[in-house]
Amino acid sequence: MARWITEWHPDDPAFWESSGRRVARRNLVFSIAAEHLGFTVWTLWSIVATRMGAYEFTTDQLFWLVALPNLIGSVLRVPYTFGPARFGGRNFTVVSALLLLVPAVLLGVAVRDPGTPYWLFLVIAALAGVGGGNFASSMANITYFYPRAKQGIALGLNAAGGNVGVSSVQLVMPLVIGSLGLAAAGWFWIPFIVVAAACAWFFMDNLTSARADPREQLAVAGRAQTWIMSFLYIGTFGSFIGYSTAFPLLSHSLFPGSPYAAVAFAGPLLGSLIRPVGGWLADRLGGAPVTLWTFAAMGGGVLLVWAAAGSGRFWLFFLAFQLLFLTSGIGNGSTYRMIPAIFQAKAVAERGAGEQALLHGKRQAAAAIGIISAVGALGGFLINRAFGMAFAAAGTPAPAFLAFALFYLACFLLTWWCYTRRVGVSVVASLAHARV
C-alpha cells in the first residue's frame, strides 16, 4: 500500500523542527541512492565506447553511442518531472529505478556476441537514457520536502549525489571490464538497482501536497524565465554531463597511450562534489552573481583545454579539463538555486506571502525544473556530437572548442542582462518581476 503524508508544512519552523527535518532527510538519502544509479546507467556508454575496438567503429560512430543516451535522457526529463506529482514521489522513484534494469541487462547480453550490429548498440544506448530522466523526477520531488531557505543545499546535495554516479562509472567500470569482460558493464549494476528500488519502497514517502494538475504545471512553459534558465543550464549542467561523458573517448582519440582510464573519474567527481558549494554560495551571495562569474571562468577554461589538446601533453590536457569540471559544478549549483528562488518570488509577488502562495511557487518551480533540466541535458548530446563532427570534418576537436567558448560568452552576457545589470541605481533582481 502506498504511503502518503497528508500534512506537510516545511516552511512552518515548529513543524520543521519537530518532524519535518527528519522525514525530509530520510527521503533525500534514498532519493540520492536511486538517482546515483540513474546516472551510472545513463553515462555507462562513456566507458563502454572506449572498449569496443573489436567492432571497428569509427570515432564519429562511437561518439554517437555516447551522445544518444544524453539525447533520450533529456527528452524523458519532461514527463519524468510530472511523475511524482501524478503518482507520488516514492512510487515513481521505485518504478524509475527498476526501469534501469532494461538497458543494463541488454548491454550485458549484446556485447557477448561479436556479430551484434551497430544499430542494435544504438538502440541499447538510447534505452540507457532512462537513467537521465531520473534526475528531473528526483529533483522535482525533493523540492516539496524542504523550506525555501534550505532548498539550495538540499537540491545541491541531491544533484551532487546523482552526479557522482558519473564518477562511479568511470572509476569502477575500467576495473570491472578489465577483470570480468565487457558484458560485466551491464550485469554489475543489477543488484544495486534492485536494492535501491527496495529502499525507495520501504523508506520514502509520497506527499499529497505535491499533487498538481499537469496543465497547471505546464503553464510554466509560457514563462520567459523557464527558457532563459534552460539556456543557462545548457551551459552549466550540459557542460558537466557532456564533458564527463566525452572525456574518456576524447582522451582515447587524442592521447591513445595515455592513462586516461585511470583518471577519467576525477573530473566528474570534482564537479559533483563542488555542486553543493555552488548552491551554498548562491544561498549567500545570490545565484546570479555566482553564475555570471562561473561562465567567465568556463570561457577561460575551454580556451586552456583547447591549447592543451594541441600540446601533445596529456597531463596538461587533464589538468586544464579539471577547471571545466570545477566551474561547471559550481554553476550547476548556482543556476539550480535560481529556479525555485525565481518562481517562488513570482508566486509571492502575485499571491502574497501565505502558505498557499509558497506551495504554488513550489509547484511552478518543480515543473520548471523538468523543462529546464531537460533542455540543459541536451548539452551532453550537443557536446558529444560537436566532438564527433569536428573529428569527422577536420580530424581535430578544435572547431568544437571554439563553438563552446562562444557559447559561454553568450551565457555570460545573458546572465548579466537578465539578472545582474544595473538600471539607474537598482539591480534588475529577476525577470520574474520585470519581464515574465
Side-chain angles (χ1 to χ4, degrees), residues 152 156 273-284 286-287 290-291 294 329-335 337:
L273 295 180
I274 205 69
R275 180 169 183 155
V277 176
W280 177 81
L281 288 172
D283 281 340
R284 284 152 181 77
V290 176
T291 301
T294 294
I330 292 173
N332 283 341
S334 63
T335 51
R337 180 62 186 100

Side-chain angles (χ1 to χ4, degrees), residues 41-42 68-70 72-74 76 80 103 124-134:
V41 172
W42 191 29
L68 203 53
N70 286 289
I72 302 303
S74 66
L76 287 177
Y80 268 54
I124 298 171
L127 290 172
V130 297
N134 287 16

Side-chain angles (χ1 to χ4, degrees), residues 189-207:
W189 300 106
I190 292 175
F192 296 100
I193 293 169
V194 173
V195 169
C199 287
W201 177 257
F202 287 110
F203 301 115
M204 291 184 70
D205 302 287
N206 303 308
L207 296 178

Side-chain angles (χ1 to χ4, degrees), residues 32 36 39 152-168 171 237 240 244 265-281 322 324-334:
I32 289 173
H36 179 92
F39 268 82
I153 188 65
L155 292 175
L157 288 171
N158 191 57
N163 292 173
V164 170
V166 186
S167 185
S168 298
L171 174 63
F237 178 76
F240 169 79
S244 295
F265 75 94
L269 180 61
L270 175 62
S272 301
L273 295 180
I274 205 69
R275 180 169 183 155
V277 176
W280 177 81
L281 288 172
Q322 302 318 293
L324 286 179
F325 285 118
L326 176 70
T327 52
S328 64
I330 292 173
N332 283 341
S334 63

Side-chain angles (χ1 to χ4, degrees), residues 98-135:
L98 291 176
L99 284 174
L100 301 174
L101 293 172
V102 176
V105 170
L106 290 178
L107 172 61
V109 172
V111 297
R112 295 176 66 89
D113 182 2
T116 300
Y118 178 67
W119 67 264
L120 185 55
F121 281 124
L122 286 174
V123 171
I124 298 171
L127 290 172
V130 297
N134 287 16
F135 178 83

Side-chain angles (χ1 to χ4, degrees), residues 81 189 265 268 280 305 333 348 378 385 392 435:
T81 297
W189 300 106
F265 75 94
W280 177 81
V305 172
V348 169
L378 280 173
R385 287 309 307 137
R435 295 177 187 168

Side-chain angles (χ1 to χ4, degrees), residues 190-243:
I190 292 175
F192 296 100
I193 293 169
V194 173
V195 169
C199 287
W201 177 257
F202 287 110
F203 301 115
M204 291 184 70
D205 302 287
N206 303 308
L207 296 178
T208 56
S209 60
R211 284 190 154 175
D213 184 346
R215 289 174 295 181
E216 176 190 358
Q217 291 185 293
L218 282 171
V220 299
R223 302 269 190 181
Q225 288 298 309
T226 302
W227 301 106
I228 293 167
M229 291 305 302
S230 295
F231 188 86
L232 298 182
Y233 203 54
I234 291 175
T236 54
F237 178 76
S239 293
F240 169 79
I241 196 66
Y243 293 141

